[in-house]
Amino acid sequence: MMNIVPAASEPLLRVRDLKVGFASAGGTLEAVRGIDLDVSRGGVLGIVGESGSGKSLSMLAALGLQARNAVVSGSVHFNNQQLVGRPRKEMRKLLGSRIGMIFQDPLSSLNPVMKIGDQIREVLFLHDRRLTGKGATGRVMDLLQLVAIPQPDRRINQYPHEFSGGMRQRVMIAMAIANDPELLVADEPTTALDVTVQAQIMRMLRDLKEKLGLALILITHDLGVVAGHADRVAVIYAGQVVEEAEVHELFANPRHPYTRGLIASIPKLAASGSKLYSIPGAPPRLGAYPEGCAFHPRCIHAQDICRTTAPPTIAFGRHRSACHFADRLPPWDRANEAERQGQNG
């Protein structure tokens, strides 16, 4: 079958109306409720939101990695190939080759009884049956050097427990890029790492993106990570994209109250001694979404329409916000936003 080469202007990954639900005694519980996203070739998309917002689940489902009891609908095109509903055998050919994935916890993602070198070789052999043992070992050494693991000739024969958290994360990155993917999905790549190692990992991902020409999706709750490394940012709340914009535009002029709350929650060095701000309330439970705008119980700008009617998505060029008052919110000022909503320690 002839492969169609997409036009340069077409996104590498196009997600439309992606929904993910789970069957229960009371019916299907929707966890992801109609997400639209584009990832450009060579671009970096940051996906942010609180824990349980659906950011990781949406990307896992887009790549066919959802739980077996999940119900997925919508459209996900990668290089003009539809992924939703694609047989698992065919998805395995894409995952690990054209699409790489860095999972949240490297310690649980790595096999504790296999040497690091054997685990990376396995990824190589799965996608290239012609590879020889000597060739695979050489490639493993190259990959370990590429992710800045010292003494690769020694490290290749060690087990995961002999590596630090940052070193295990580097091994996960090496496995994800082993077969020269076009798209790399990094799910909370800096979780549980100290700030110095976090900076090293993010710098490495940026350098690899430039060197290998990767498109990158960064899934994180850390707005500081996306501020320094993403081109565009999608903010997810209660299984929906509530705002999406170029990274500089999003931080300079957020047009959704949830995004404003997230930015106001970032600790400021100059505010030493003052109370840390956090968004009041808690995200809705799965299957217990409020009527109207899902964020309205926590929103100081909410009015009657927010409690009864789901907001439309309002576009301002390439900046879009799912808020009834996206074009009428007060001028953005981080300090004033925290003051408006009240310090809740």
Side-chain angles (χ1 to χ4, degrees), residues 65-79:
L65 297 174
Q66 73 278 359
R68 289 188 178 273
N69 65 332
V71 180
V72 180
S73 64
S75 172
V76 178
H77 282 88
F78 173 75
N79 261 341

Side-chain angles (χ1 to χ4, degrees), residues 70-92:
V71 180
V72 180
S73 64
S75 172
V76 178
H77 282 88
F78 173 75
N79 261 341
N80 276 347
Q81 300 178 73
Q82 174 63 267
L83 302 188
V84 174
R86 200 177 187 90
R88 285 181 178 266
K89 185 176 181 180
E90 292 185 20
M91 285 301 298
R92 290 193 193 103

Side-chain angles (χ1 to χ4, degrees), residues 8-329:
S9 60
E10 292 181 0
L12 178 66
L13 185 75
R14 180 185 291 273
V15 179
R16 291 292 180 270
D17 196 28
L18 179 67
K19 297 178 181 177
V20 185
F22 297 93
S24 72
T28 300
L29 299 177
E30 286 192 327
V32 176
R33 304 186 296 149
I35 281 180
D36 294 347
L37 290 172
D38 285 345
V39 182
S40 61
R41 298 172 186 279
V44 182
L45 174 68
I47 300 178
V48 299
E50 294 167 286
S51 296
S53 61
K55 54 188 186 299
S56 295
L57 177 61
S58 60
M59 286 300 98
L60 289 172
L63 303 182
L65 297 174
Q66 73 278 359
R68 289 188 178 273
N69 65 332
V71 180
V72 180
S73 64
S75 172
V76 178
H77 282 88
F78 173 75
N79 261 341
N80 276 347
Q81 300 178 73
Q82 174 63 267
L83 302 188
V84 174
R86 200 177 187 90
R88 285 181 178 266
K89 185 176 181 180
E90 292 185 20
M91 285 301 298
R92 290 193 193 103
K93 294 178 182 178
L94 283 175
L95 299 176
S97 57
R98 310 281 26 100
I99 303 172
M101 180 85 188
I102 304 169
F103 295 96
Q104 281 192 31
D105 182 6
L107 184 59
S108 62
S109 298
L110 293 169
N111 189 327
V113 298
M114 282 182 68
K115 294 177 181 179
I116 291 298
D118 291 336
Q119 296 191 54
I120 303 177
R121 284 191 199 94
E122 185 177 51
V123 176
L124 295 167
F125 285 131
L126 280 172
H127 296 282
D128 188 354
R129 301 291 185 182
R130 300 167 299 176
L131 198 61
T132 64
K134 185 177 180 180
T137 299
R139 175 64 175 155
V140 172
M141 296 283 284
D142 291 342
L143 286 165
L144 293 180
Q145 289 179 332
L146 189 61
V147 297
I149 290 181
Q151 300 179 293
D153 56 332
R154 182 171 68 89
R155 293 290 193 174
I156 197 172
N157 293 313
Q158 291 183 322
Y159 293 89
H161 73 270
E162 298 179 83
F163 284 63
S164 67
M167 296 287 273
R168 285 193 290 265
Q169 191 65 286
R170 291 169 188 262
V171 171
M172 290 296 298
I173 294 171
M175 293 174 70
I177 64 171
N179 292 296
D180 299 321
E182 297 172 72
L183 174 65
L184 182 62
V185 180
D187 189 2
E188 301 281 8
T190 59
T191 295
L193 302 177
D194 64 59
V195 291
T196 303
V197 178
Q198 286 181 22
Q200 292 171 353
I201 294 297
M202 292 311 305
R203 192 179 307 117
M204 179 192 305
L205 286 174
R206 183 188 62 203
D207 292 345
L208 288 171
K209 172 201 166 300
E210 297 298 329
K211 185 178 294 185
L212 304 177
L214 297 168
L216 180 62
I217 297 177
L218 286 174
I219 304 170
T220 181
H221 62 272
D222 189 341
L223 281 168
V225 169
V226 299
H229 300 279
D231 302 323
R232 287 187 65 79
V233 183
V235 181
I236 294 183
Y237 184 78
Q240 296 177 315
V241 176
V242 296
E243 186 164 12
E244 184 184 359
E246 300 293 334
V247 63
H248 299 299
E249 168 67 13
L250 186 94
F251 280 86
N253 186 27
R255 291 181 177 270
H256 195 284
Y258 179 58
T259 308
R260 292 184 169 203
L262 290 178
I263 297 173
S265 301
I266 301 173
K268 293 190 296 183
L269 190 61
S272 176
S274 62
K275 289 184 178 180
L276 294 176
Y277 168 76
S278 64
I279 302 172
R285 293 182 294 106
L286 181 66
Y289 302 113
E291 190 176 352
C293 174
F295 187 63
H296 86 254
R298 308 173 70 188
C299 181
I300 63 165
H301 304 288
Q303 298 185 28
D304 288 343
I305 190 174
C306 306
R307 301 177 181 91
T308 59
T309 307
T313 298
I314 301 174
F316 308 86
R318 296 191 67 211
H319 188 161
R320 58 191 179 109
S321 171
C323 174
H324 289 291
F325 305 102
D327 56 347
R328 285 170 280 171
L329 291 174

